[in-house]
Amino acid sequence: MQLRHDQLANHLSKSGGALKPLYTLHGDEALLVQEAGDAIRAAAKAAGYTERQVHTVSGAYFDWSSLLGAASEMSLFGDRQFIDIRIPSGKPGKEGSQALQQYCETAAGNDGVITLVTLPRLDKTQLSSAWFTALDGVGVSVRCDPIERQQLPLWIAQRLAAQGQQVEPGEAGQRTLAFFADRVEGNLLAAHQEIVKLGLLHPPGTLTIEQIEEAVVDVARFNVFKLSEAVLSGQIERTLRMIDGLQAEGEAAVLVHWALAEDILGLYRARTALDGGKPLPMVLREQRVWGPRERLFERILPQAKAPALARLVANASTVDGIIKGLRHPQWPDDAWEALRRLALQLAQTAKPAGATR
């Protein structure tokens, strides 16, 4: 059974002590994985599963037989057991796959043991593997993905509400939450810490924008893949903020250029193929465009013209030379300034019709 992270608390509270024999957490958002694991461990302890074992699968020589033995052994003190299995690589291997499937068969009929399996983010192949299917089939799996930027203001508001605080109503409150989200984007653990800090600084009640501006530190963290999303969404202010952040964090200019150039070339090739008479779904498959990027391409391509995209391709080539130390009379010598200009040109091209920012 699969649950969203925000459904776990309700599941645990309604279980009435009758917990599932196995819980699987997977995802790359450390805060959510930690909170989910803590909630499951607390619920198990309250239900009488007080003896805990931790097994960390690291390297190719993990003793899977010891894990299988641990699950079938009776506690020395007659207590029910909580077994914590951690697989940081997300790849148990052939022996581990067989062992996990066998473990699940044992766990399904053993009410004296509750197991928690913690994994990193899994790809499509891993999610459809026999070992993960077995884990999911015998218990509950919870996916702990990062909170996306558009979801972040609501997440912040919910966390503030949990400690008895809220922002001002209406548009003023929305601006406050947007400011807060800008300060902590891409760094959920720091966002949590900033929310807790507000709880310590101010009593329950309404927080003003001035109080939040004074208290919340700029701890946003960005990566080039999120930059691509911002640029292709036509979010000019966010694009500039992310490039400033990437520069401040010491990201390589060449990597930022690669992300921008990939999008520019992808759009140009797709537009050329469309002009040649190919249908859009076929074009996107050929260009290996999928997921959120696919939806952005579907919106941009009908309004983007081949000559404009060809100029972007030429400009991307110019910026590539600037990063390598070449000069151009119409472009700044500084690599990051050139990247800002290129990103702005792409964002302007991608901006939805009627958008003002």
Side-chain angles (χ1 to χ4, degrees):
M1 180 172 70
Q2 298 183 23
L3 292 178
R4 298 193 311 271
H5 177 269
D6 58 3
Q7 295 175 316
L8 179 62
N10 188 50
H11 161 78
L12 294 174
S13 66
K14 287 187 174 180
S15 65
L19 299 172
K20 295 291 185 180
L22 192 147
Y23 289 85
T24 304
L25 304 178
H26 60 104
D28 53 7
E29 184 47 72
L31 174 68
L32 301 186
V33 171
Q34 176 184 318
E35 290 182 339
D38 288 345
I40 293 167
R41 282 184 282 268
K45 186 175 182 180
Y49 294 84
T50 54
E51 185 175 329
R52 181 182 173 204
Q53 298 183 36
V54 179
H55 299 265
T56 301
V57 179
S58 57
Y61 303 103
F62 179 75
D63 185 4
W64 289 99
S65 61
S66 66
L67 176 60
L68 293 171
S72 58
E73 290 176 358
M74 295 295 293
S75 168
L76 294 175
F77 305 101
D79 295 334
R80 291 190 285 184
Q81 295 186 83
F82 185 89
I83 297 181
D84 202 330
I85 304 172
R86 301 170 182 180
I87 311 177
S89 69
K91 298 177 181 179
K94 183 177 180 180
E95 182 184 357
S97 174
Q98 295 172 346
L100 286 173
Q101 292 175 68
Q102 184 179 341
Y103 187 95
C104 289
E105 292 175 5
T106 303
N110 186 355
D111 61 2
V113 175
I114 285 180
T115 302
L116 171 63
V117 180
T118 304
L119 298 156
R121 183 176 183 176
L122 304 178
D123 59 28
K124 186 176 181 180
T125 301
Q126 291 167 309
L127 289 172
S128 59
S129 64
W131 61 267
F132 184 83
T133 301
L135 293 175
D136 184 56
V138 78
V140 170
S141 62
V142 182
R143 186 166 180 161
C144 301
D145 287 336
I147 305 296
E148 298 296 335
R149 173 60 181 80
Q150 61 268 28
Q151 301 168 326
L152 196 51
L154 177 59
W155 184 86
I156 293 169
Q158 291 171 339
R159 292 285 171 132
L160 287 172
Q163 60 189 30
Q165 294 177 315
Q166 65 277 332
V167 297
E168 298 168 286
E171 187 176 344
Q174 295 305 311
R175 287 198 301 269
T176 300
L177 291 173
F179 167 82
F180 200 146
D182 287 343
R183 287 291 184 97
V184 299
E185 180 181 356
N187 197 345
L188 206 63
L189 179 58
H192 167 71
Q193 292 169 342
E194 294 300 309
I195 291 167
V196 171
K197 182 171 69 175
L198 284 168
L200 297 173
L201 290 173
H202 303 287
T206 300
L207 297 169
T208 66
I209 179 64
E210 291 77 18
Q211 289 172 323
I212 289 181
E213 284 179 344
E214 182 178 350
V216 177
V217 177
D218 190 347
V219 289
R221 296 290 181 269
F222 305 113
N223 62 59
V224 293
F225 303 106
K226 292 299 180 183
L227 172 64
S228 174
E229 177 186 296
V231 175
L232 292 178
S233 298
Q235 299 171 338
I236 293 173
E237 292 183 4
R238 186 179 177 216
T239 294
L240 291 175
R241 187 170 64 252
M242 294 183 81
I243 290 180
D244 289 344
L246 289 167
Q247 182 181 11
E249 292 168 20
E251 186 61 85
V254 66
L255 184 59
V256 176
H257 176 267
W258 170 83
L260 295 173
E262 278 289 297
D263 288 333
I264 290 169
L265 287 170
L267 287 168
Y268 176 71
R269 290 167 180 162
R271 182 68 263 177
T272 302
L274 286 173
D275 291 343
K278 289 187 177 181
L280 181 57
M282 180 186 295
V283 169
L284 294 178
R285 285 197 303 272
E286 289 178 350
Q287 295 301 317
R288 302 177 64 83
V289 177
W290 49 72
R293 194 163 172 255
E294 179 180 6
R295 293 190 291 273
L296 292 167
F297 269 53
E298 287 174 345
R299 179 186 59 76
I300 295 168
L301 284 169
Q303 70 186 35
K305 305 302 180 185
L309 293 174
R311 286 193 295 272
L312 279 173
V313 172
N315 290 344
S317 177
T318 296
V319 175
D320 179 55
I322 291 170
I323 292 172
K324 294 173 180 176
L326 302 178
R327 293 190 173 188
H328 191 282
Q330 298 176 349
W331 282 77
D333 294 335
D334 180 77
W336 284 97
E337 285 302 317
L339 285 169
R340 286 183 183 86
R341 182 184 293 188
L342 181 65
L344 282 176
Q345 290 175 351
L346 177 55
Q348 288 284 1
T349 301
K351 187 168 63 174
T356 57
R357 300 171 66 183

